Amino acid sequence: MGMTIAEKIIAQAAGVSSVKAGDIHTVTLDRMMSNDGTTHLTIDMFYHQLKHPTIADPNKVVFIVDHNIPADNPKTAASHKKMRDFAREYNIDFWEGKGVCHQIMMEHYVTPGELIFGADSHTCTYGALGAFGTGVGCTDLLYALVTGTSWVLVPETIKFNLVGELKEGVYPRDLMLTIIGEIGANGANYQVMEFTGEGASNLSINDRIVLCNLAVEAGAKTAIFEPDEKTLNYLEEHGGRKPKAMLKSDADAHYKKEYTFDLSKIEPVVARPDFVDDVVPAKETFGVKIDEAFVGSCNNGRIDELRTAASILKGKKVAKHVRFIIAPASNDVYLQAMKEGLIDIFMEAGAMVVNSNCSVCWGGCQGVIGENEVLISTGTRNFKGRAGDPSSKVYLASAATVAASAIQGQIITADQL
C-alpha cells in the first residue's frame, strides 16, 4: 500500500520506511513556532516545572509577537518582554510587529517536506508549500522545544479533487467556505485535507494558503498540496529557500474519503454567525446592516486580497456609519501595497489601515465590536464573542464582499454595487 504526502512526511520525521493511519510514532520536528498568545505560559513552565531546562535546537525555533502588538496594557507588555528576554537568552529567532505569525513563517521559514509544530491552530497553513504543519498546545510545544521531538498519531487523509477554475468575482475564500459548509465543522476531524487535481494546480500559492489555513475550521489536523513549480518559484522569491523534500502521494495511497469540487460552479458565499459551517450563497445575506468591516488575518490579508479590496474601493467611500479596518498580513505585504498605491486608495475611501497583526480577527486589541454590533470579516472564525461583545455578530466573506459591504453599509457582493 502506498502513502499519502502527509504519511511520507511523518515517516521521514520518524526515520521509518512507511507509516499508516492509526500508527503512533515519535518524530523529530523540523521547526517550531510560538506566538504571544501562549508563549509566556510555555516560558513559565520551562523555568518553574523543569529540573534541567534547555532548548534542544534554538535554530529550529521561531517566536513571533502578532496577537497584541503594540502592547495594549501592562500585562501584555510584560508577556512580550518575557518572550523578548527568553529569545535573547536562548538565541531564538524573534519577530515583533512584523506581521501575522503564519505569514512570517511562510515568507521566511517553511519549506516542502517539513514537519512543523506551532502553538496556534492555523499552523495548518504551511501545507500550501507541501509541509505538514499542525497546531499544538503550549505543553506539547514545551516538550518539543526541550527534546526536539514529539509523537504523532498518523491521521487518515481525505482527498479533495479540484477541477476547473474559479470564475471572475469568485475567490479561494468562497471555495474553502463552500467546502467547510458542505462537509461541516467536524467533517475532517483529526484528518488531513489533501487538495489535488487540475484545479489545485491552477491555484496560486496565495490561493493554496487560503484553503490550507481554514482547514482547521473543518476540524482537520492539517491540509496539504503537492509541491510543484509554483512552490519552487515562491521559495525563490522569498529568500531562495531549498525544499527538504518534494513529495507526492502514491497512486495506490489509501484515502478515507474523496470529494470532487468543480471550481467553475463556486459562487460568492457568506458564513453566518455563529458557526463557520453555516455557509449560504451571499445573496441570502444581502441587506444585513453592518457596523464594521475587516480585511486582514492569516487567511486573507495578503497582497492579492488588498488588491481586490482596493479595486472595489477606488473612487468610492466607506459608508458613514461603518468602520472599515485593513491589516496587511506582514510588513512585506504592507510595503508592496504602498508601492502599488493601495494604501492611498484605502485612506481616501475612509478606511483605517493598521499595523500588520492579527487585529480584528481575534478580537483582542483592535476593532473590537460592541453590544449587538455586526462585523463582516475576512478573519478565520465567527464564534459567539470572537470579535467582541457576546451579543455581537460576525459574518465571514471574501475581501471583495467585505469591501463592497463596507461601501454599501450592508452585506452585498461587488457585482451588485
Side-chain angles (χ1 to χ4, degrees):
M1 180 68 70
M3 291 190 291
T4 64
I5 302 173
E7 290 166 347
K8 288 183 178 183
I9 292 175
I10 293 172
Q12 177 182 262
V16 298
S17 59
S18 66
V19 303
K20 65 181 185 302
D23 290 348
I24 296 177
H25 288 277
T26 298
V27 293
T28 298
L29 298 168
D30 293 295
R31 217 170 292 282
M32 290 149 272
M33 184 281 297
S34 190
N35 60 43
D36 54 316
T38 60
T39 305
H40 57 293
L41 302 175
T42 303
I43 293 171
D44 285 345
M45 289 188 290
F46 180 89
Y47 282 127
H48 302 305
Q49 297 185 23
L50 301 182
K51 291 182 179 179
H52 306 290
T54 186
I55 301 294
D57 187 349
N59 292 323
K60 291 184 176 182
V61 185
V62 184
F63 280 1
I64 302 172
V65 178
D66 68 344
H67 275 56
N68 264 346
I69 182 72
D72 57 342
N73 59 57
K75 185 177 180 180
T76 299
S79 294
H80 291 178
K81 185 178 186 302
K82 188 176 291 186
M83 287 181 69
R84 222 174 281 126
D85 293 346
F86 189 91
R88 188 181 303 112
E89 179 179 355
Y90 287 94
N91 198 31
I92 292 170
D93 279 9
F94 181 75
W95 297 75
E96 183 171 20
K98 302 293 177 62
V100 182
C101 61
H102 304 304
Q103 185 68 16
I104 295 295
M105 292 297 291
M106 293 294 282
E107 290 177 353
H108 299 279
Y109 294 98
V110 179
T111 67
E114 290 186 324
L115 179 58
I116 303 171
F117 276 11
D120 188 278
S121 57
H122 293 99
T123 303
C124 48
T125 303
Y126 311 157
L129 292 179
F132 188 116
T134 193
V136 297
C138 55
T139 304
D140 284 330
L141 186 78
L142 175 64
Y143 183 88
L145 292 175
V146 172
T147 67
T149 66
S150 189
W151 65 272
V152 172
L153 171 64
V154 181
E156 295 269 14
T157 296
I158 304 174
K159 179 189 283 190
F160 290 84
N161 184 42
L162 307 181
V163 299
E165 296 186 25
L166 294 171
K167 296 180 293 189
E168 185 177 353
V170 181
Y171 300 88
R173 187 164 165 90
D174 294 310
L175 169 61
M176 193 56 186
L177 287 175
T178 298
I179 291 174
I180 295 170
E182 178 161 328
I183 71 172
N186 295 310
N189 277 358
Y190 204 91
Q191 294 164 70
V192 178
M193 298 176 72
E194 181 182 320
F195 298 102
T196 187
E198 175 196 1
S201 299
N202 290 335
L203 296 175
S204 69
I205 296 301
N206 179 75
D207 298 343
R208 299 175 192 185
I209 290 173
V210 174
L211 269 62
C212 288
N213 174 271
L214 280 183
V216 70
E217 308 310 330
K221 181 69 172 173
T222 194
I224 202 160
F225 281 79
E226 178 184 325
D228 56 14
E229 195 65 30
K230 291 180 180 179
T231 312
L232 294 175
N233 291 339
Y234 183 91
L235 296 177
E236 185 61 34
E237 292 166 3
H238 293 82
R241 307 194 302 275
K242 303 301 180 185
K244 178 177 181 178
M246 299 284 285
L247 302 173
K248 65 179 181 179
S249 294
D250 294 325
D252 60 343
H254 171 73
Y255 293 93
K256 182 175 182 179
K257 193 177 292 186
E258 296 188 24
Y259 294 91
T260 296
F261 284 86
D262 184 344
L263 275 58
S264 68
K265 296 182 179 178
I266 303 299
E267 300 289 345
V269 295
V270 170
R272 298 183 296 196
D274 297 302
F275 304 96
V276 72
D277 58 354
D278 184 8
V279 178
V280 298
K283 61 185 178 183
E284 291 190 19
T285 62
F286 283 0
V288 173
K289 184 180 177 182
I290 64 168
D291 300 286
E292 184 168 298
F294 173 64
V295 168
S297 86
C298 57
N299 187 254
N300 237 220
R302 281 165 291 279
I303 194 65
D304 287 16
E305 289 81 38
L306 299 192
R307 287 169 179 157
T308 296
S311 69
I312 294 165
L313 281 171
K314 190 171 184 179
K316 299 182 177 67
K317 295 289 184 181
V318 173
K320 288 185 178 180
H321 71 275
V322 173
R323 311 180 297 276
F324 189 9
I325 299 174
I326 299 170
S330 72
N331 283 3
D332 286 352
V333 173
Y334 206 133
L335 289 169
Q336 183 62 35
M338 290 177 66
K339 289 177 183 176
E340 296 182 17
L342 308 185
I343 305 300
D344 290 350
I345 293 171
F346 297 147
M347 300 293 281
E348 288 167 3
M352 294 179 277
V353 183
V354 300
N355 60 301
S356 302
N357 75 116
C358 294
S359 191
V360 177
C361 176
W362 85 296
C365 61
Q366 293 178 332
V368 176
I369 52 179
E371 185 177 2
N372 294 318
E373 287 195 311
V374 175
L375 164 71
I376 187 165
S377 169
T378 67
T380 56
R381 290 174 174 155
N382 61 346
F383 306 154
K384 185 179 289 293
R386 169 69 175 183
D389 190 271
S391 67
S392 63
K393 300 294 183 183
V394 180
Y395 290 80
L396 302 179
S398 71
T401 298
V402 170
S405 301
I407 294 167
Q408 194 76 2
Q410 59 189 25
I411 298 181
I412 197 168
T413 50
D415 64 319
Q416 298 297 310
L417 280 177

